[in-house]
Amino acid sequence: MRKRQKGFSFRESRDVVVFLFFLLFSFSGRLFAQPLPQAAPELLGMDSHRLRYADEAILKAVENKEIPGAVLAVVHKGKLAYLKAYGNKQVYPRTVPMDVDAVFDLASVSKSVSTAVSAMVLIERGLIRMSDPVKDFIPDFKGWENESGKPSDIRIVDLLTHTSGLPPYAPVKELEEKYGSPDPDGLIEYIATCKRDFKPKTGFQYSCLNYITLQRIIETVSGQSLKAFAREHIFDVLGMVHTGYQPEGETLARVVPTEKQADGRVLTGVVHDPLARVMNGGVSGNAGVFSDANDLAVLAAALLNDGEYNGRRILSPSGVRAMRTVPRGLEAFGRTSGWDIYSPYASNSGDLLGPDTYGHTGYTGTSLVIDPDNDVAVILLTNRAHPDDGGSAVRLRSLVANVVAASLNCPPARVYFQYYYDCVERFKSEEPVGKKDIVFLGNSLTEGGKWTELLGKKHIRNRGISGDVAMGIYDRLHQILPGQPKKIFFQTGANDVSHDLTVDSIVMAITHVVNRIQRESPKTKLYLQSLLPINESFGRYGRLTGKTDMIPAINARLAEVAKERDIPFINLYPLFIKPETNVLREELTGDGLHLNEEGYRIWAEALKPYL
């Protein structure tokens, strides 16, 4: 029993050329790894404003000390729609802020992303069947016996769905005393002969022993360790560069610690699960995989795309469907071959995702949920077991899943462009606007100004975005107004003009921005600046053709708005036009719209009296 059984081996069946080809393919998977491309939620038909409720739920959990920190990733339509870090990576022995590249001990999520997928790879290659008895691969493995001694075999499908009747766990201390540590063969010997709790397929009992047994079958059939097999056939294929067992190097440096031990050290890069750590030395079918949100997003995208990502395939469409389908005869239990759909452990799917949603959770606070009906995946990685195993992420997982589901298929009335959302994300990562700050708010004309240098003032925050329109500015004021800045210099309108809006529409949109600033940040000194002239002779911006004379009409109306609201109106327009025309002076621009260095100097001089 103690000797690992030999079986069919991939390596024995390959000739040298094929073997080297597979090695080269695996190496290239890591060499050309590509993370999932990111896209703004709105560009994928999601509402980022609704997604902020997930931020609030997670931050509340951090504040209530339910978790030290978290990373949330949302995959939709093959893109990374949301990626954000919260709280702290560790709080003992020192506090370290969380970041989106943090690597987590996945705990039981390992069962799905490594062991179950590996088993399906073998099934697809004709090396094992769901209906195969476990004893075909582990000869001393006992089945169930009724009162009269009649046996019933435990089969691979029973292990995958937790319907085998094996007990939930094993006495780690007793096994360590009997066999030493680590001793995978000793652990398998125990599992092969321990008491079975019920006849296979007649009940559901979540058991780590099921997946440790699957590990032995995978290793026996493939001739590889689970660590090597999963790396070669899953992680390397998809380019998951920070995923695997027993992390080292850069991956180890990114690992989030888990529980503090009796001697004061904190488990970091060493699997938390006792059976996996003590008896299996860190490589175990039930736990042991470490990964980050970016890598798991790639895996989720592959499973949502019938097993393929970026031209690299880990499973066939049939294999993926089998993995997310409850086997016939086991519908009462809600477990698929490696995942959970509607068992009592499936609360991480929330209340609003599709009926075919499947996923898995991990003891350390990790969760992966995949909804093929809505083409979305929710990855929530927390370190709830740090530092004293006292936190909880159970309710939080459901809350976050509900928020993500509610953000689908209901984009806001206004959808912008990728650069807009890139800038909004960049602003999120910067220090929040505060009461000492002077904010320059506008489009590319504002963005292009080196205002701190031009004006010689500290605390200037440039919040211009190239291509932005008035309502785009309105929709991002939530990043500015809560800080109650000292002053705001607001200038926009050129892009609104190019969008063929009327004078009334443009003035109304700018007025909405003014009204909101005054309402939500009443102590902020607001300065409304005029639009600048354009020069059509450059021929650079076709959508501005014939609109030169619109701009003074808009400016006249804006001056009235400023007077009605008792705010300064800074009329820059006369400083930039050729005498007796409405045309931007050629020497101040290179394209008929944007200013050169001399143009910005003139603008800055006009603003200095207001500083």
Side-chain angles (χ1 to χ4, degrees), residues 108-222:
S108 286
V109 175
S110 307
K111 292 180 172 74
S112 297
V113 304
S114 176
T115 312
V117 176
S118 294
M120 188 56 67
V121 170
L122 295 179
I123 290 170
E124 289 194 347
R125 299 185 183 189
L127 294 169
I128 62 174
R129 300 178 304 161
M130 293 273 199
S131 59
D132 282 343
V134 176
K135 67 181 181 182
D136 286 359
F137 310 97
I138 306 174
D140 294 336
F141 195 91
K142 292 183 178 180
W144 160 267
E145 292 184 0
N146 63 16
E147 293 178 357
S148 62
K150 184 179 179 180
S152 295
D153 286 331
I154 295 175
R155 301 177 185 274
I156 288 176
V157 68
D158 304 324
L159 302 175
L160 285 165
T161 58
H162 297 284
T163 58
S164 68
L166 287 175
Y169 212 67
V172 178
K173 187 175 181 180
E174 291 179 20
L175 295 179
E176 183 180 16
E177 290 174 355
K178 180 177 181 179
Y179 296 110
S181 173
D183 196 324
D185 290 332
L187 178 55
I188 285 295
E189 182 175 284
Y190 169 83
I191 296 172
T193 58
C194 69
K195 180 181 178 295
R196 277 63 174 132
D197 291 336
F198 53 80
K199 183 179 179 180
K201 298 183 177 65
T202 64
F204 164 75
Q205 181 167 264
Y206 184 85
S207 170
C208 287
L209 306 191
N210 286 320
Y211 277 74
I212 293 171
T213 305
L214 279 168
Q215 173 190 2
R216 177 53 60 95
I217 294 172
I218 293 165
E219 293 178 339
T220 298
V221 171
S222 70

Side-chain angles (χ1 to χ4, degrees), residues 303-304 320-326 334 336 339-342 346 349-350 352-359 368-376:
L303 293 175
L304 285 166
V320 174
R321 284 194 299 273
M323 285 196 71
R324 57 182 175 88
T325 303
V326 177
T336 74
W339 302 83
D340 194 353
I341 294 185
Y342 51 85
S349 296
L352 305 178
L353 291 172
D356 298 311
T357 298
Y358 60 102
L368 171 59
V369 176
I370 302 173
D371 178 358
D373 301 307
N374 289 300
D375 194 11
V376 68

Side-chain angles (χ1 to χ4, degrees), residues 328-548:
R328 279 178 286 185
L330 300 178
E331 291 86 356
F333 309 120
R335 301 289 298 211
T336 74
S337 300
W339 302 83
D340 194 353
I341 294 185
Y342 51 85
S343 88
Y345 294 85
S347 66
N348 60 319
S349 296
D351 310 300
L352 305 178
L353 291 172
D356 298 311
T357 298
Y358 60 102
H360 213 288
T361 62
Y363 182 85
T364 52
T366 56
S367 173
L368 171 59
V369 176
I370 302 173
D371 178 358
D373 301 307
N374 289 300
D375 194 11
V376 68
V378 184
I379 300 156
L380 180 61
L381 305 177
T382 82
N383 50 346
R384 73 107 211 140
H386 177 74
D388 56 8
D389 197 19
S392 175
V394 175
R395 184 170 183 271
L396 178 63
R397 293 164 178 158
S398 300
L399 298 176
V400 171
N402 286 344
V403 169
V404 172
S407 74
L408 296 168
N409 305 315
C410 55
R414 295 178 293 274
V415 178
Y416 305 107
F417 45 95
Q418 187 61 53
Y419 182 70
Y420 173 94
Y421 296 111
D422 290 343
C423 290
V424 169
E425 286 300 312
R426 174 165 55 82
F427 296 154
K428 284 182 185 177
S429 67
E430 296 177 1
E431 183 180 349
V433 170
K435 293 183 178 180
K436 295 181 179 180
D437 288 325
I438 300 171
V439 177
F440 278 69
L441 185 61
N443 52 34
S444 59
L445 292 167
T446 297
E447 184 181 21
K450 300 177 182 178
W451 301 110
T452 300
E453 179 181 324
L454 286 165
L455 298 169
K457 290 284 185 178
K458 295 190 294 185
H459 300 296
I460 288 181
R461 310 294 292 274
N462 192 330
R463 286 296 182 268
I465 294 181
S466 179
D468 206 359
V469 293
M471 293 312 296
I473 293 170
Y474 181 93
D475 287 338
R476 57 187 177 91
L477 287 176
H478 65 276
Q479 293 187 317
I480 297 170
L481 302 185
Q484 305 287 295
K486 182 179 180 180
K487 297 182 179 184
I488 293 179
F489 287 87
F490 175 37
Q491 196 277 343
T492 197
N495 294 309
D496 299 80
V497 170
S498 74
H499 291 179
D500 298 325
L501 300 179
T502 65
V503 170
D504 286 343
S505 296
I506 295 170
V507 173
M508 183 180 298
I510 293 173
T511 302
H512 280 318
V513 179
V514 170
N515 289 344
R516 184 175 175 189
I517 293 172
Q518 290 194 304
R519 182 176 66 252
E520 297 184 20
S521 188
K523 293 184 179 180
T524 296
K525 186 67 175 178
L526 173 62
Y527 300 87
L528 180 60
Q529 302 172 88
S530 71
L531 276 69
L532 302 184
I534 60 174
N535 189 321
E536 297 181 39
S537 68
F538 283 78
R540 178 73 179 274
Y541 300 100
R543 299 198 66 176
L544 290 174
T545 300
K547 297 174 180 175
T548 295

